[in-house]
Amino acid sequence: MNAKQTVTNMIPTISLAGLIFVAGCSGGPLTTREKGAGVGALGGAAVGGLIGSAVGHPAAGAAIGGGLGLGAGALVGDQLQGQENQNDRQDNQIRSNQAEIDRQRHELERLRRQRGEY
């Protein structure tokens, strides 16, 4: 295969990568789930491509590895996202409890001053 054919064969892949990049940048920040899926897909495609090239089918290996990596990365990212959500709920509850403690402390101080204990 000559250099012109190699470049011609790479154009659809580069175009797809560019399209995905632009589409990914058009929204808000990525969630943990989306980051996990992206990392999994890239890692799976890389490993699949390596394994596929060993058996003579690098494109099929990359496609299969990318799909499997996408699924695995999404599952891991989903678990991490759930943990982050749980941590956020706990942080909110802690802040709420601290605010209530502060309110009650101020109320006790007011009552003590009112009774003349200070």
Side-chain angles (χ1 to χ4, degrees):
M1 191 182 313
N2 64 27
K4 186 175 181 182
Q5 288 175 329
T6 302
V7 171
T8 304
N9 290 339
M10 291 176 58
I11 289 175
T13 304
I14 293 170
S15 299
L16 180 62
L19 180 65
I20 291 171
F21 177 76
V22 170
C25 293
S26 64
L30 294 176
T31 64
T32 303
R33 183 179 302 121
E34 292 166 341
K35 289 176 189 175
V39 169
L42 290 175
V47 171
L50 289 173
I51 293 171
S53 68
V55 295
H57 301 287
I64 292 169
L68 292 174
L70 175 67
L75 288 174
V76 170
D78 188 52
Q79 291 297 314
L80 292 173
Q81 183 75 46
Q83 187 64 41
E84 285 179 4
N85 291 343
Q86 178 67 23
N87 289 343
D88 288 343
R89 284 191 295 275
Q90 288 176 345
D91 287 345
N92 288 336
Q93 186 63 46
I94 289 169
R95 281 192 290 279
S96 175
N97 290 346
Q98 187 61 48
E100 180 63 18
I101 289 169
D102 291 342
R103 187 195 65 75
Q104 289 178 0
R105 183 176 292 128
H106 291 315
E107 181 66 16
L108 281 172
E109 289 173 7
R110 186 189 66 78
L111 290 172
R112 285 183 181 147
R113 279 193 301 269
Q114 189 178 20
R115 286 181 38 192
E117 291 181 10
Y118 277 116

